[in-house]
């Protein structure tokens, strides 16, 4: 399998399938596209049917969307249990992942993932704060119901889908209640997340629109 991703510092959609594969210890090759550069544009044209990352290549299959890739990995490796086993829990994990995939637009616009940055005194505007509150509500509910340590007890697609949100909470200094705080720390301390951060720290490209001014 080959996973095409964007800049590790900025590409939140790329982090999701990448961390799922790493966490499940599934071997894959990776191709990194430096987004918003002329070389990156050529690579997007060549490798990405929707001109976006991530894209997974597996034999003849070309899969161009982060959530579809995560679901495919869960299907392909059932022994890794990357979705909860019980159907109701499975459905909840899917709803939570889908809400991330299609929602939280204000958070995405106003708090872009930026692993290297630590933004002091960030004050979210109301609609962004509402996105944060909804995510915290989802985390608290899942962690309360399953007793953790991951959102659905063991590591699932839902944890991978929310990994970039945890990164944003760190970058922008979002204060959260204890259960969520513990969970966020676990995500950030995870060996795979540390590998991603380490690689991001060595990247030199700057994507201006993801560097917010406060
Ligand atoms: N819905 C897509 C979104 C993918 C996406 O927006 N990718 C961004 C990078 S994180 C991208 O490729 N941007 C490059 C561009 O738009 O030129 C998914 O879930 O995979």
């Amino acid at each position: 399998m080959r996973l095409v991703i964007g800049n590790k510092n900025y590409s939140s959609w790329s982090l999701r399938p990448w961390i799922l594969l790493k966490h499940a210890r599934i071997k894959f090759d990776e191709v990194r596209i430096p987004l918003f550069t002329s070389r990156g544009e050529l690579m997007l044209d060549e490798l990405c049917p929707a001109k976006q990352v991530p894209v997974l290549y597996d034999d003849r299959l070309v899969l161009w969307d982060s959530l579809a890739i995560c679901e495919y990995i869960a299907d392909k490796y059932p022994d890794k249990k990357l979705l909860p086993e019980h159907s109701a829990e499975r459905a909840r994990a899917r709803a939570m992942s889908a809400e991330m995939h299609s929602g939280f637009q204000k958070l995405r616009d106003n708090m872009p993932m930026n692993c290297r940055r630590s933004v002091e005194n960030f004050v979210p505007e109301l609609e962004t704060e509402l996105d944060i509150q909804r995510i915290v509500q989802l985390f608290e509910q899942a962690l309360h119901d399953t007793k953790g340590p991951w959102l659905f007890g063991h590591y699932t697609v839902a944890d991978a889908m929310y990994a970039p949100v945890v990164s944003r909470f760190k970058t922008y200094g979002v204060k959260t209640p204890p259960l969520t705080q513990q969970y966020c720390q676990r995500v950030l301390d995870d060996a795979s997340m540390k590998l991603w951060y380490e690689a991001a720290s060595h990247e030199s490209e700057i994507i201006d629109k993801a560097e917010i001014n406060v």
Side-chain angles (χ1 to χ4, degrees), residues 173-188:
V174 174
K175 302 272 180 296
T176 58
L179 270 184
T180 296
Q181 202 182 321
Q182 267 172 34
Y183 172 71
C184 290
Q185 201 54 53
R186 175 171 288 271
V187 172
L188 294 167

Side-chain angles (χ1 to χ4, degrees), residues 55-115:
V55 176
L56 183 79
Y57 284 78
D58 189 20
D59 290 329
R60 291 156 67 101
L61 175 68
V62 183
L63 207 46
W64 63 93
D65 176 88
S66 60
L67 184 54
I69 296 170
C70 289
E71 290 266 348
Y72 174 71
I73 295 163
D75 274 351
K76 183 171 164 130
Y77 298 95
D79 55 312
K80 304 282 186 188
K81 302 194 187 329
L82 295 173
L83 283 168
E85 278 180 291
H86 189 271
S87 63
E89 286 302 286
R90 232 174 147 79
R92 278 183 63 190
R94 285 200 159 111
M96 205 167 152
S97 299
E99 188 168 346
M100 176 69 249
H101 194 246
S102 61
F104 307 127
Q105 194 58 50
K106 288 291 169 187
L107 177 122
R108 287 196 226 156
D109 291 346
N110 300 326
M111 297 170 65
M113 190 173 93
N114 190 336
C115 298

Side-chain angles (χ1 to χ4, degrees), residues 11-13 35-36 44 51-54 64-67 101:
S11 183
S12 60
W13 294 111
L35 296 173
F36 308 111
L44 283 178
K51 310 278 181 276
Q52 288 188 328
V53 286
W64 63 93
D65 176 88
S66 60
L67 184 54
H101 194 246

